[in-house]
Amino acid sequence: MEFKQIKKGKIILFTGEGVLIFSLVPVLAGLFLYLLDYGFGMPLFIAGLAVFVAAFLLWLYGVKIYFTEYKVYNITAVYKNAKKYADIPYCEITDYQSEIEKIRSNYFNDTNTDKYIRNVNKLSKCKVSGKKIDCSKLLDLNVLKTGKIYYGCVAGANSTFYTPSYMNKYGIVFVVYSTDSYFDTHPEELAKISKGVTSGDLFSFYPDSKLIFNELLPKDVTGGREIIITSAATERWRLPMGYISGDIVPVIADINTSAFIVDCRYWTENLIGSYAFKDDFAKHGKFNEAKIALYKEQSCADYAMELKNIRDKYIADPDNEPVDFMGDNPFPMFTHSNTQVYYAYILYSEKVKDGKYNFETPAVAIYSTEDHFKTTPYAYTEIAENIRDNEKIYSAIKNIVNFKEHSVSPMVVPKTYTDGYNVIMTALFVDNGKLPTYRLTGDIIPVIYNEDEGGWIYSADSKYWSNGYTYEFVYGKKDS
């Protein structure tokens, strides 16, 4: 029925446009003949004008059906959504059960029948890997009325769906979802399984030039739970920002027929904040900064113990393999007996106060293995000021902080600058994605060091830091 209505609107729209154009002929001819005093000029003009008005009204009716009522090709809807949701803050959801229940209530309590509408004509002719494929079996619109809403995750899609655009697009996405109520509270586990499917060998079983239709994932992948992967047809304007910017989405589905991503107008603000801004590190930073502000009563009381705790947490973490900062030569796994954590002072960085997320920021830093700096890291401040006072040296440091070209090997700082302490100046790679607010807000930072790697150091993940030290790094040392 919906398809017939859409087709009807399209026929009326283009019929009206055609009649409008041709009715201009008698209107202009009648007017011209009337001005030349031909008696039949005025009747011809009036008749042509009547046809023109009727065609215009017919055209407006077609517009109402085709564009407004059914939103078939609504470019502006993508823009309106992006503008509407842009100010929603990033959110870390703690109660997924509550969110999905609200979404179900929002959807099923809405009496507006346009939620059942989909542009079958466009969606049935979507391309997969550049090839047009008959997607009609994905479009059982009864599911929009009788289906149930579950959490799902986008496991893959056409690459254009991962980039922002205000142009409405139709496309096929691969969705992983489950009818198991366990995932109402643990959808993030669906996300992990989804990533495993797309990044591992398993996804090779699903040719990217074909559709996947309600296939069960192997239970050795799903932890024994029933999880489905299927193709789903969707449009940009049904997503919060008009593109795939996150992973967890609500889907309305019937395991025997079709699945659709639920229109974003029914999502909760929390889910939009979590989904739409999953990779928006500026919003993550603001979110974390507000949270970290609550740590002010937990200042770092023992700096040496802080380093010990960071090292212990780092070694205990199974995901602590060093990041490949050098491109072609990934670091081997450190020998934990030689892994140490020290404080370093950042003399200069390419993006010291930049709010943007950048995978790794090159910097030049000083650090020491001496106990004095483990207990009193702020002692680095005077040494840094001494180095910066030498304009020639500091200018050279700025010039070499270029990620593609710099090769700052560890060098001993002359003791005239260090008050007799052994201090080393070296390159430091700062992984901004692992900083508390995704940017450098402080100068003194815990770093991982291993002698097996020739003295290279890199920033320790802030997930190992205490609340007190995190607060100091973001807001500065609290006065006693």
Side-chain angles (χ1 to χ4, degrees):
M1 176 61 71
E2 287 77 14
F3 174 71
K4 290 180 179 178
Q5 290 285 5
I6 291 169
K7 190 172 183 180
K8 173 185 173 183
K10 191 173 183 180
I11 291 171
I12 293 172
L13 178 67
F14 291 111
T15 300
E17 284 183 357
V19 176
L20 270 175
I21 294 170
F22 285 109
S23 65
L24 287 174
V25 175
V27 170
L28 295 175
L31 182 61
F32 179 72
L33 293 173
Y34 174 73
L35 293 174
L36 293 178
D37 292 330
Y38 284 94
F40 59 86
M42 181 53 70
L44 181 62
F45 172 78
I46 293 173
L49 187 61
V51 174
F52 181 84
V53 172
F56 181 70
L57 293 175
L58 186 69
W59 180 80
L60 285 179
Y61 181 54
V63 167
K64 179 179 183 298
I65 295 177
Y66 190 64
F67 283 89
T68 309
E69 186 173 346
Y70 294 100
K71 300 178 181 177
V72 175
Y73 187 63
N74 194 341
I75 297 173
T76 59
V78 180
Y79 172 76
K80 287 178 181 177
N81 280 350
K83 188 175 181 181
K84 175 182 177 182
Y85 299 128
D87 293 331
I88 291 179
Y90 169 74
C91 175
E92 288 182 0
I93 297 176
T94 56
D95 186 355
Y96 279 103
Q97 175 80 45
S98 176
E99 301 301 320
I100 196 68
E101 288 176 356
K102 288 176 183 176
I103 293 169
R104 289 166 179 157
S105 176
N106 292 344
Y107 184 87
F108 291 113
N109 290 336
D110 183 13
T111 57
N112 193 337
T113 58
D114 72 351
K115 66 184 178 182
Y116 304 136
I117 307 301
R118 292 294 186 275
N119 187 346
V120 177
N121 189 36
K122 289 279 188 182
L123 291 173
S124 64
K125 299 176 181 176
C126 286
K127 292 182 178 180
V128 179
S129 297
K131 300 176 182 178
K132 282 190 177 181
I133 290 181
D134 182 8
C135 305
S136 56
K137 71 177 181 178
L138 303 177
L139 299 169
D140 180 0
L141 300 189
N142 285 324
V143 171
L144 297 169
K145 298 178 182 179
T146 62
K148 295 183 179 180
I149 292 177
Y150 312 100
Y151 277 125
C153 289
V154 177
N158 187 298
S159 59
T160 59
F161 260 75
Y162 287 94
T163 54
S165 171
Y166 292 145
M167 178 70 75
N168 194 30
K169 296 279 187 183
Y170 305 87
I172 303 299
V173 297
F174 298 119
V175 175
V176 170
Y177 76 96
S178 177
T179 61
D180 190 332
S181 60
Y182 170 80
F183 293 105
D184 283 0
T185 54
H186 301 89
E188 68 277 6
E189 293 190 23
L190 274 179
K192 292 178 182 178
I193 293 170
S194 172
K195 290 177 182 176
V197 169
T198 54
S199 62
D201 294 334
L202 184 63
F203 203 62
S204 63
F205 288 113
Y206 306 113
D208 61 3
S209 60
K210 295 182 180 180
L211 300 177
I212 306 170
F213 194 62
N214 294 329
E215 297 193 26
L216 289 175
L217 292 175
K219 289 197 174 181
D220 59 342
V221 174
T222 66
R225 298 185 182 275
E226 189 173 280
I227 297 178
I228 299 159
I229 183 169
T230 191
S231 301
T234 192
E235 304 163 74
R236 277 187 181 272
W237 73 274
R238 298 187 187 279
L239 299 170
M241 301 302 288
Y243 68 104
I244 297 170
S245 50
D247 43 26
I248 298 173
V249 297
V251 298
I252 184 166
D254 182 321
I255 59 173
N256 298 311
T257 56
S258 302
F260 299 88
I261 294 177
V262 175
D263 195 314
C264 61
R265 61 181 155 160
Y266 300 112
W267 298 20
T268 62
E269 185 173 298
N270 287 343
L271 186 61
I272 291 173
S274 173
Y275 171 88
F277 307 111
K278 185 175 180 64
D279 294 324
D280 188 333
F281 290 92
K283 288 205 172 191
H284 277 252
K286 289 180 180 178
F287 175 86
N288 282 357
E289 196 165 339
K291 184 170 65 175
I292 292 165
L294 303 176
Y295 299 166
K296 60 185 177 182
E297 301 302 327
Q298 306 176 48
S299 297
C300 185
D302 188 332
Y303 292 105
M305 183 59 68
E306 177 77 14
L307 292 180
K308 180 182 181 303
N309 291 339
I310 291 173
R311 181 180 184 273
D312 290 345
K313 292 175 184 176
Y314 173 83
I315 290 174
D317 189 341
D319 297 324
N320 62 0
E321 187 170 357
V323 177
D324 174 12
F325 288 114
M326 302 304 291
D328 295 332
N329 300 301
F331 292 157
M333 191 66 175
F334 283 174
T335 302
H336 285 318
S337 61
N338 292 326
T339 297
Q340 299 298 331
V341 180
Y342 302 112
Y343 291 111
Y345 188 102
I346 298 173
L347 290 172
Y348 184 77
S349 170
E350 192 176 47
K351 296 179 180 293
V352 175
K353 297 298 181 184
D354 195 338
K356 296 179 181 178
Y357 172 75
N358 186 43
F359 182 67
E360 61 257 347
T361 293
V364 172
I366 53 174
Y367 77 97
S368 176
T369 62
E370 294 199 28
D371 290 342
H372 173 67
F373 296 99
K374 294 178 182 178
T375 57
T376 317
Y378 287 91
Y380 283 122
T381 304
E382 184 176 349
I383 298 173
E385 289 174 354
N386 291 338
I387 294 173
R388 286 170 176 164
D389 285 342
N390 187 318
E391 293 185 7
K392 184 177 180 180
I393 293 177
Y394 193 49
S395 177
I397 290 172
K398 288 182 178 181
N399 290 334
I400 59 178
V401 177
N402 180 306
F403 183 68
K404 294 181 180 179
E405 298 177 6
H406 85 75
S407 55
V408 184
S409 298
M411 61 186 75
V412 176
V413 178
K415 291 188 176 181
T416 53
Y417 289 89
T418 67
D419 198 23
Y421 291 105
N422 292 318
V423 177
I424 298 166
M425 182 166 66
T426 187
L428 165 66
F429 296 101
V430 180
D431 188 342
N432 287 16
K434 295 180 180 179
L435 294 176
T437 59
Y438 301 90
R439 66 191 191 279
L440 284 168
T441 48
D443 297 315
I444 299 173
I445 186 170
V447 295
I448 305 294
Y449 166 88
N450 190 286
E451 63 185 33
D452 295 339
E453 301 305 320
W456 290 105
I457 59 175
Y458 64 94
S459 58
D461 194 326
S462 62
K463 69 181 180 181
Y464 306 131
W465 305 4
S466 69
N467 289 354
Y469 193 80
T470 301
Y471 181 89
E472 284 190 22
F473 184 79
V474 175
Y475 290 102
K477 182 174 173 58
K478 181 184 176 185
D479 294 332
S480 301

